[in-house]
Amino acid sequence: MDVTTAPHRIPAEMPQYGESNHIFELMQNMLEQLLIHQPEDPISFMIQHLHRNNDNVPKIVILGPPASGKTTIAMWLCKHLNSNLVSVENLVIREFPLLTTETRKHYQRTKTVPSTLLVRLIKERLAQEDCIRRGWILDGIPETREQALMIQTQGVIPRHVVVLSALDTVLIERNLGKRVDPQTGEIYHTTFDWPPESDIQNRLVVPAGISEMETARKLLEYHRNIVGIIPSYPKILKVISADQPCVDVFYQALTYVQTHHRSNAPFTPKVLLCGPTGSGKSLQAALLAQKYGLVNVCCGQLLKEAVADKTQFGELIRPFFEKEMAVPDSLVVKVLTERLDQQDSIQKGWVLHGFPRDLDQAHMLSSVGYDPNRVFFLNVPFDSIVERLTLRRIDPVTGERYHLLYKPPPTMEIQARLLQHPKDSEEQVKLKVDLFYRNSADLEQFYGQAVTLNGDQDPYTVFEYVESGIINPLPKKIP
Amino acid sequence: MEAAESRESQAREYLEKHRILELLNYLTSSLLFFRPEQPREYLITLLERMRIAKLTGVAFPFFMDHSNIVAMFEMMDPSKRGTISFVQYKEALQTLGLCPAGEVLQDDGRTVSLDNFRDEVNKRTQEIFSSF
């Protein structure tokens, strides 16, 4: 037997460590930087990159037509994320003494700068220490597709691009009410965003170039250019409607820039489904197992199989079953460990439901080393549970299972002979649901990163929520 | 888009010249094997050691030392004949990441002994490290 071609048994700690420390993303970022800069001495470059530890600083581009509120949003995001704002105005003002007289006159006349010069200024600005350490937010840059491509070849790649959009008529009207504070540079509006302090109110001036004709002209130019810029940033773009209150736009933008994108890291799902009886855990587990090839581990089922197969554990469990007592936790954990240790569940991932039901069981599960990497709590109101469970019937002749509401029997004859399981009576259901809710608060606290879902919808909708919870990276908690 | 293609080939050449992929392989394997609490600091330490080793000629921090190589050889040779077949030898080199996919090894019919195996592994590792 040739050992080198047998399937590799990788100890489970390795993928777990890799996932929790985001090793893949770390290495990917390092490789990206190496390829962009291609230093002669890669080792020193890598040491420097690791010291800087700036993989998660904001790198945002905000685009939008005039009067959409770009600068306001950009300034608010800067303050909130403690980052640096870079706009055409900023750049020119910083470099003013160094520009040639021609460029200066051109800028004062048209408020624009030639593209090559702009890209050079941007590259220098972004290479400065504070931008490297705290990230950057580009406001209204790139203006054209040409600029977008030039920036990309220089190695400046944003992680999130926000495009504000609104109807032209709304924008033209909104622009008429624009007022600027000459001291701070903040933008206010006569109707939507009037500053509360009277001294600021007195200082405000009307900026140049906000007449209808001007705005319409700028809008035409914007629409011409934006069509070419949007395809440059395919997967990281988000369009937010600017036709809503500033605060709403800001919160949408903030949530978006704080999400990680889906990464290519290898990921084996280890899903835990929690919820009261009747919430649909078994159904969701079956759907997941079918679609993704995960191993469906239902705790109750596992114990019954052990007893039926008369295994060593089965013999120990049988007396508890016969006396209708709960099986002790230590025994359950042993049976589970045996199942989860098998090669197919390590390789393909697993979906566990029916265990743990309280905090002690949860501690036991993590002490044997099986920590789930996605936890879902299915919430279903009590009346729905009652409706789902108490109307279950079984036909004693054919063995077919029916539900009086969701899958009624076809003929009256069959309906007459249907029987109900005593476990499905209302009192029994109520007991089990109460038992779950008594322990659920502890469980929710133990699994801090759990996702709570509304289970009171049709199964395929719930399945879509579960899928998106598994596939998307876990949300970062905002400090 | 010729410019894009030439930049891509330029990037590939850079990767091969400095053996970046082997280096990253080595770093990731160390991380997953030792599982330090602070991955960044650990990576920095490893890279510093390599840099010093390159400057002063001190032995590199090898991932597979002598006893590991012997253990691997013995796994492949359960009947203790003292040699392994050519196919096993090629597979082992690929598993260790010392044999890039494009390389074709000459099968000259002879079997590989422990000393040959060890020398070959050492030689290839040295080759990789010397280009950092």
Side-chain angles (χ1 to χ4, degrees):
Chain A
M1 186 179 74
D2 193 347
V3 182
T4 50
T5 53
H8 293 291
R9 294 200 59 124
I10 304 178
E13 293 87 23
M14 286 198 190
Q16 224 163 2
Y17 178 80
E19 266 169 43
S20 48
N21 292 353
H22 301 288
I23 303 284
F24 184 88
E25 285 86 358
L26 177 69
M27 290 297 173
Q28 195 176 38
N29 273 328
M30 202 147 69
L31 185 59
E32 253 176 39
Q33 291 301 310
L34 274 174
L35 281 175
I36 290 175
H37 294 107
Q38 293 188 7
E40 272 308 309
D41 185 6
I43 299 196
S44 312
F45 180 80
M46 284 161 73
I47 297 181
Q48 213 185 16
H49 171 87
L50 287 169
H51 270 299
R52 257 189 245 144
N53 194 4
N54 69 344
D55 287 344
N56 291 326
V57 290
K59 292 188 187 158
I60 306 171
V61 166
I62 303 194
L63 300 170
S68 52
K70 290 194 298 290
T71 318
T72 325
I73 298 289
M75 284 174 124
W76 284 357
L77 276 176
C78 266
K79 270 193 225 138
H80 195 98
L81 298 171
N82 191 19
S83 183
N84 297 304
L85 178 65
V86 177
S87 67
V88 180
E89 249 182 86
N90 279 7
L91 287 173
V92 171
I93 293 176
R94 279 171 89 106
E95 299 291 315
F96 213 64
L98 302 170
L99 297 175
T100 63
T101 24
E102 279 175 39
T103 334
R104 273 188 244 175
K105 277 194 227 149
H106 179 84
Y107 178 71
Q108 275 158 348
R109 215 169 4 103
T110 59
K111 290 276 178 242
T112 59
V113 178
S115 291
T116 32
L117 176 61
L118 183 62
V119 172
R120 187 175 62 83
L121 290 175
I122 292 176
K123 186 167 180 221
E124 285 170 8
R125 176 79 180 93
L126 260 45
Q128 287 174 351
E129 197 48 45
D130 57 350
C131 275
I132 295 184
R133 236 173 345 107
R134 295 182 316 168
W136 38 266
I137 300 185
L138 290 181
D139 169 21
I141 305 172
E143 297 158 334
T144 61
R145 181 165 171 80
E146 196 196 346
Q147 282 181 17
L149 292 176
M150 280 203 272
I151 295 183
Q152 204 170 19
T153 46
Q154 298 291 340
V156 171
I157 303 178
R159 226 179 298 127
H160 296 94
V161 175
V162 173
V163 176
L164 301 173
S165 90
L167 291 175
D168 283 358
T169 43
V170 171
L171 293 171
I172 294 183
E173 219 186 291
R174 204 193 275 186
N175 214 11
L176 290 173
K178 178 173 170 179
R179 301 283 179 269
V180 180
D181 179 351
Q183 272 186 20
T184 60
E186 292 219 11
I187 303 182
Y188 295 98
H189 195 275
T190 49
T191 329
F192 299 124
D193 193 12
W194 194 235
E197 298 86 16
S198 58
D199 50 351
I200 305 186
Q201 286 174 16
N202 293 335
R203 292 206 286 259
L204 292 181
V205 296
V206 179
I210 59 167
S211 69
E212 284 183 32
M213 291 297 296
E214 274 289 311
T215 323
R217 193 179 57 81
K218 286 195 218 164
L219 275 172
L220 271 180
E221 210 182 309
Y222 168 78
H223 281 301
R224 242 188 320 181
N225 289 327
I226 195 71
V227 179
I229 301 180
I230 289 188
S232 310
Y233 302 116
K235 293 187 214 163
I236 51 180
L237 195 88
K238 180 171 172 132
V239 177
I240 300 186
S241 161
D243 195 8
Q244 9 174 14
C246 281
V247 198
D248 289 353
V249 181
F250 173 63
Y251 275 116
Q252 283 186 20
L254 186 63
T255 346
Y256 175 60
V257 303
Q258 288 184 321
T259 53
H260 288 296
H261 294 291
R262 281 178 63 175
S263 83
N264 291 329
F267 178 59
T268 320
K270 299 198 244 252
V271 183
L272 176 63
L273 294 175
C274 294
T277 170
S279 52
K281 305 190 288 289
S282 317
L283 181 58
Q284 296 301 323
L287 286 172
L288 277 174
Q290 188 191 30
K291 184 162 178 183
Y292 294 104
L294 307 178
V295 173
N296 186 353
V297 181
C298 172
C299 188
Q301 198 93 347
L302 212 61
L303 296 174
K304 288 184 202 155
E305 274 169 15
V307 172
D309 289 340
K310 298 198 174 52
T311 62
Q312 183 199 18
F313 285 124
E315 295 303 309
L316 292 168
I317 298 175
R318 200 150 49 92
F320 292 97
F321 267 26
E322 284 169 359
K323 293 190 211 144
E324 291 197 17
M325 281 171 50
V327 184
D329 292 345
S330 49
L331 208 47
V332 177
V333 169
K334 286 211 195 86
V335 177
L336 262 185
T337 320
E338 192 194 350
R339 181 65 182 95
L340 293 177
D341 256 341
Q342 287 179 13
Q343 188 63 0
D344 64 348
S345 53
I346 295 184
Q347 249 179 343
K348 296 193 230 168
W350 40 264
V351 172
L352 177 60
H353 55 111
F355 183 91
R357 291 197 202 184
D358 59 40
L359 195 57
D360 293 326
Q361 294 182 345
H363 278 301
M364 265 200 235
L365 187 66
S366 74
S367 70
V368 287
Y370 287 106
D371 270 310
N373 51 27
R374 294 286 188 271
V375 181
F376 294 99
F377 280 91
L378 293 165
N379 269 345
V380 187
F382 182 65
D383 293 327
S384 299
I385 296 183
V386 166
E387 184 188 286
R388 286 183 192 183
L389 294 184
T390 54
L391 297 179
R392 278 192 199 159
R393 297 284 186 272
I394 183 165
D395 180 358
V397 174
T398 59
E400 183 87 25
R401 295 176 68 174
Y402 293 102
H403 190 283
L404 293 180
L405 209 58
Y406 301 135
K407 191 181 159 196
T411 69
M412 288 302 292
E413 192 196 328
I414 299 182
Q415 191 168 1
R417 63 182 189 226
L418 289 179
L419 296 177
Q420 187 185 30
H421 197 297
K423 191 174 66 149
D424 282 340
S425 69
E426 195 167 327
E427 310 84 49
Q428 294 278 352
V429 171
K430 192 162 183 359
L431 275 176
K432 284 200 268 191
V433 173
D434 283 339
L435 179 62
F436 174 77
Y437 279 119
R438 243 180 286 151
N439 296 319
S440 69
D442 288 332
L443 278 181
E444 276 184 33
Q445 208 184 25
F446 183 73
Y447 291 117
Q449 294 264 17
V451 177
T452 323
L453 302 169
N454 177 14
D456 194 17
Q457 313 172 72
D458 73 276
Y460 292 101
T461 316
V462 181
F463 184 55
E464 279 182 19
Y465 279 113
V466 171
E467 274 183 303
S468 75
I470 294 182
I471 294 177
N472 292 334
L474 283 169
K476 244 191 320 188
K477 291 227 158 41
I478 304 180
Chain B
M1 290 285 284
E2 286 161 12
E5 278 173 22
S6 78
R7 286 190 73 132
E8 191 180 328
S9 53
Q10 205 182 15
R12 267 188 225 282
E13 274 170 33
Y14 175 77
L15 283 185
E16 275 181 29
K17 175 175 152 203
H18 292 270
R19 305 275 198 145
I20 301 287
L21 294 178
E22 279 92 348
L23 174 60
L24 286 182
N25 247 339
Y26 168 67
L27 291 177
T28 324
S29 327
S30 296
L31 263 186
L32 289 180
F33 187 72
F34 295 109
R35 290 193 284 281
E37 284 286 320
Q38 305 271 15
R40 271 177 197 269
E41 278 70 14
Y42 179 71
L43 280 180
I44 294 178
T45 339
L46 268 187
L47 287 170
E48 290 279 1
R49 275 167 63 192
M50 281 212 284
R51 189 164 64 165
I52 296 176
K54 190 163 126 175
L55 290 175
T56 61
V58 175
F60 290 101
F62 284 127
F63 193 48
M64 297 273 286
D65 62 10
H66 183 69
S67 60
N68 293 132
I69 298 180
V70 171
M72 194 165 170
F73 191 85
E74 281 173 6
M75 265 204 316
M76 290 191 285
D77 183 26
S79 49
K80 297 217 188 301
R81 278 177 301 155
T83 58
I84 53 175
S85 75
F86 178 73
V87 176
Q88 284 177 311
Y89 166 68
K90 196 163 89 124
E91 282 293 322
L93 282 185
Q94 279 178 353
T95 314
L96 287 173
L98 294 172
C99 180
E103 200 177 321
V104 176
L105 294 175
Q106 290 301 102
D107 182 3
D108 48 6
R110 60 188 175 87
T111 51
V112 182
S113 73
L114 172 61
D115 291 324
N116 284 352
F117 184 60
R118 191 191 52 215
D119 289 337
E120 192 63 32
V121 169
N122 282 340
K123 189 178 85 172
R124 281 165 186 267
T125 327
Q126 194 70 2
E127 209 180 285
I128 293 181
F129 276 112
S130 62
S131 60
F132 287 152

